[in-house]
């Protein structure tokens, strides 16, 4: 077992979302995470590129927080999470062109928990999430 997994197993998991500000790093929010929860899955599979607070990373990885896709097109998220994304995209008027690898090991339930987590923080948390149906549509 690697060091990160030993530490995670020994300590309560807390995702401390950090946002880069002019003065340096500042805590934006703290979300308690339990193994298998949407916040824990997001931290494990998404935050290294998209940031713990969904802020993205420079011109390499797009922000998820308050993005149009969460509000207007959440049905494409399961396909992107499962199968990845290639090619140029425009998010909030900025162009991104990095390959996002898919994660075929995540179950439909885990994908639903990740999307629910993102919706609760940055989207429409009252919108129904139909991951299994949406995954059928992207095949």
């Amino acid at each position: 077992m690697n060091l990160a997994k030993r530490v995670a197993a020994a300590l309560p998991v807390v995702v401390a979302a950090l946002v880069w500000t002019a003065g340096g790093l500042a805590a934006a929010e703290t979300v308690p995470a339990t193994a298998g929860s949407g916040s824990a899955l997001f931290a494990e599979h998404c935050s290294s590129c998209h940031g713990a607070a969904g802020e993205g990373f420079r011109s390499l990885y797009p922000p998820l927080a308050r993005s149009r896709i969460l509000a207007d097109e959440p049905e494409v998220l399961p396909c992107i999470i499962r199968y990845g994304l290639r090619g140029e995209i425009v998010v909030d008027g900025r162009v991104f062109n990095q390959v996002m690898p898919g994660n075929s090991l995540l179950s439909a339930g885990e994908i639903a928990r990740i999307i629910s987590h993102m919706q609760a923080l940055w989207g429409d948390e009252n919108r129904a999430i139909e991951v299994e149906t949406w995954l059928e549509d992207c095949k």
Side-chain angles (χ1 to χ4, degrees), residues 7-57:
V7 170
L11 299 172
V13 179
V14 176
V15 178
L18 298 175
V19 177
W20 184 257
T21 65
L25 292 175
E29 60 184 281
T30 300
V31 179
T34 57
S37 71
S39 60
L41 290 165
F42 182 87
E44 181 179 348
H45 298 286
C46 311
S47 67
S48 61
C49 295
H50 294 288
E55 72 277 15
F57 183 72

Side-chain angles (χ1 to χ4, degrees), residues 53-117:
E55 72 277 15
F57 183 72
R58 300 185 184 180
S59 62
L60 295 176
Y61 305 110
L64 299 173
R66 295 166 298 284
S67 70
R68 177 193 55 77
I69 198 166
L70 284 171
D72 299 339
E73 299 179 272
E75 64 276 2
V76 303
L77 290 171
C79 300
I80 294 171
I81 293 169
R82 170 74 52 86
Y83 300 109
L85 186 64
R86 292 182 177 278
E88 188 175 280
I89 61 170
V90 178
V91 178
D92 296 334
R94 293 173 44 208
V95 176
F96 297 89
N97 195 6
Q98 293 292 322
V99 173
M100 179 184 149
N103 190 331
S104 61
L105 300 178
L106 289 171
S107 70
E110 290 170 321
I111 292 171
R113 288 193 295 277
I114 290 170
I115 295 170
S116 292
H117 170 72

